[in-house]
Amino acid sequence: LVDAEDSAALVQHPDYSRTWVYGNVLVESDGEGNSQIVHYGGDSGTISEYRKGTLHFFHNTVVSTRLGNTTLMRLSTDDEHADVRNNVIFTTAAGWHLALMNTDGVMDLEHNWLPADWVVSHSTFDGTFNDNGGNVEGVDPGFADFPAGDLSPSTGSPLIDAGGPLHLEAIPDHVPARQYHPHQSSMPRPGDGAPDLGAFEAGLVFADGFESGDLAPWSMIAPKP
C-alpha cells in the first residue's frame, strides 16, 4: 500500500489519503518474504507523494507461522496513521515475536485479539502508539480448526461478540457485509449487532477434502452460538 509512482492523478485524488482494508484473511508462512505484513505510505523515496493519511484496518484475520519475528505494519513516516480495530492477529511463535509497528508512524489500536506479550516494535521506535483499550490477549484465539485452516471462531471462542464500534468514517460505506468463502468467493457476513473479531462471524465449519493447512472451503451449518 505504497505511493502511486508516475501518476499525479492518483496522488492528487481526494481519496488518496484514505485506505480501507477489511474482511481479509492474510497468512504469512515461515520463509515467505520479509517479516512485515502490511507496508503503508511509500517506498519510492519521494516522500511528498507518500500516502500521508489513514489506513483503516479492521475485521481482518492475520496469521503468521514464521518461526522468527513478525511485524504487523510498517508505516513509512510519521505522517502515516493506522486505525487498527476488530482484527485477529495470531502468531504461532511466542507473543513477543509479534511487533505491531516498525519504527515510524501513528497507530490507534482497539478491540483486537493479540497474543500475550506482544511488543510495539522490535526496533528503535520514533512514532506514536495509542492503546485505546478493548483488546483481548491470550494464547489461543479459539479458531474452529486451525490445523485444517478453518479460521472462523469456535463455540466459546474469545473472539465472539468481542468487537467494538467501527470508526465513524467507515459508516455506512465500509461496514463489512460479506466475508471470504474459499476459494476466491464470498458469502454474506451474519450479523446480530455484536460483531466477532476477525474476518469471520461464528457459525462456519471446515469442509472435508483438503489437506491440512489449506485455506479450504467453509460452509454455513448453524446460526451463531
Side-chain angles (χ1 to χ4, degrees):
L1 305 174
V2 293
D3 51 330
E5 297 182 55
D6 305 317
S7 178
L10 289 179
V11 171
Q12 295 168 10
H13 194 282
D15 287 333
Y16 186 60
S17 62
R18 293 189 304 164
T19 303
W20 308 90
V21 177
Y22 57 96
N24 298 280
V25 177
L26 305 175
V27 179
E28 172 90 355
S29 298
D30 189 48
E32 291 184 350
N34 62 38
S35 64
Q36 299 158 3
I37 304 296
V38 176
H39 181 190
Y40 175 70
D43 62 1
S44 69
T46 307
I47 296 176
S48 62
E49 295 184 357
Y50 284 12
R51 296 280 182 166
K52 297 183 180 293
T54 297
L55 166 61
H56 294 272
F57 189 87
F58 56 100
H59 280 299
N60 301 289
T61 295
V62 179
V63 171
S64 172
T65 60
R66 295 179 62 89
L67 298 178
N69 291 342
T70 296
T71 299
L72 177 63
M73 288 189 182
R74 174 186 172 187
L75 305 180
S76 296
T77 74
D78 287 341
D79 291 325
E80 273 77 42
H81 169 235
D83 185 88
V84 179
R85 63 179 74 199
N86 290 359
N87 303 286
V88 178
I89 316 296
F90 175 67
T91 60
T92 53
W96 55 267
H97 281 288
L98 173 66
L100 298 184
M101 304 182 72
N102 188 27
T103 58
D104 302 291
V106 179
M107 178 180 288
D108 283 292
L109 183 83
E110 61 182 86
H111 291 95
N112 301 274
W113 189 94
L114 300 162
D117 300 323
W118 58 271
V119 299
V120 174
S121 176
H122 290 132
S123 304
T124 300
F125 183 63
D126 296 320
T128 301
F129 176 77
N130 301 310
D131 186 342
N132 297 325
N135 298 296
V136 180
E137 300 180 11
V139 176
D140 183 1
F143 293 134
D145 192 343
F146 178 71
D150 187 342
L151 305 181
S152 62
S154 63
T155 301
S157 167
L159 309 180
I160 295 176
D161 295 345
L166 298 181
H167 193 286
L168 291 178
E169 290 185 3
I171 302 169
D173 293 341
H174 299 286
V175 176
R178 302 188 66 81
Q179 60 190 19
Y180 179 61
H181 190 287
H183 290 290
Q184 300 181 4
S185 188
S186 68
M187 60 184 295
R189 178 172 176 131
D192 63 358
D196 297 345
L197 297 179
F200 302 102
E201 287 288 313
L204 303 175
V205 65
F206 175 64
D208 293 333
F210 288 77
E211 295 181 2
S212 176
D214 282 348
L215 288 179
W218 289 262
S219 59
M220 290 298 298
I221 59 167
K224 178 177 174 180

